[in-house]
Amino acid sequence: MTRLFLVSALAGALLAVAGAGFAQQQPAPGAAAQSVTCSQTADFCRRACEPHAGQGTRQCTFNCDKTLAECKATGFWKTQHGQMLPRRKE
């Protein structure tokens, strides 16, 4: 019983490591690199603000502009969930 538990735990760990490695793979050689700028991401962010009304739109646009300034300084766009996405400074 203990052996079965250890084997299943090891298999789960191997699958988790394989999944993490797959998520970090680089594009194949010769594939077009997607070089997104901070400003392009900010434009996308502002367009996503449009469905909001009134104060919500102003706050959303303010957040986009604030994140744009941070991105231009650091080269990373910080999502609302805290994920840091590399972006090309321009």
Side-chain angles (χ1 to χ4, degrees):
M1 187 67 160
T2 304
R3 179 174 274 178
L4 179 62
F5 175 76
L6 290 175
V7 169
S8 64
L10 179 61
L14 289 175
L15 285 173
V17 169
F22 178 78
Q24 295 177 0
Q25 286 181 349
Q26 299 298 319
Q34 187 77 310
S35 184
V36 179
T37 66
C38 293
S39 293
Q40 289 170 327
T41 306
D43 288 340
F44 179 79
C45 180
R46 287 185 201 105
R47 283 194 305 275
C49 292
E50 291 173 6
H52 300 289
Q55 182 66 28
T57 301
R58 286 191 296 272
Q59 183 63 45
C60 183
T61 304
F62 172 79
N63 291 341
C64 293
D65 292 340
K66 179 179 157 218
T67 306
L68 172 61
E70 293 171 359
C71 182
K72 285 185 173 183
T74 64
F76 289 93
W77 183 272
K78 186 175 181 179
T79 68
Q80 65 186 13
H81 304 292
Q83 183 180 10
M84 302 296 280
L85 305 174
R87 293 293 182 256
R88 192 178 75 212
K89 296 190 257 182
E90 73 280 7

